[in-house]
Amino acid sequence: MRKLRTALTVGALAVALGGLAAPVASADTTRPAAPESGITIQRTWHATVQCHIVRISDNNVVGVDRGTGSGNSKEAAIHDAERNVPVPQGHYKRHCDPKRIW
């Protein structure tokens, strides 16, 4: 009984970790190799941030506003979104929090 339980456990772990073993596909020699020009595909990140809008005269929070942006990294997308938050004259923004990154 113990041998059966051990065999079933090992088999279940093998399936969960990597699936069943499959033969490695041979290289396709009919298709030409990729060019060596150094071209890479870069991912574009998008972000939405929400910031508090504060009135300068009495330093009170008068609302929140959102901005969206994009960039080549998560940090660049968040920074671009923070720049795109509309701020009325006589106000400033603070406590900008990322709400969505994709």
Side-chain angles (χ1 to χ4, degrees):
M1 185 69 176
R2 185 168 176 86
K3 286 183 180 182
L4 177 63
R5 188 181 321 154
T6 303
L8 290 175
T9 304
V10 171
L13 285 174
V15 171
L17 293 177
L20 300 174
V24 178
S26 62
D28 186 13
T29 57
T30 60
R31 194 170 53 176
E36 297 292 328
S37 63
I39 297 173
T40 60
I41 298 173
Q42 292 184 345
R43 179 176 178 178
T44 301
W45 290 88
H46 303 278
T48 300
V49 297
Q50 181 174 320
C51 304
H52 290 185
I53 305 298
V54 182
R55 189 180 314 123
I56 294 173
S57 62
D58 58 1
N59 205 27
N60 285 332
V61 176
V62 295
V64 294
D65 212 344
R66 290 185 177 220
T68 59
S70 60
N72 290 335
S73 67
K74 288 182 184 179
E75 293 79 18
I78 292 169
H79 187 65
D80 187 44
E82 288 175 357
R83 283 193 308 242
N84 292 332
V85 174
V87 180
Q89 192 165 3
H91 297 73
Y92 68 96
K93 63 182 176 240
R94 69 175 175 196
H95 302 299
C96 294
D97 297 320
K99 294 298 179 184
R100 183 173 178 217
I101 301 171
W102 71 101

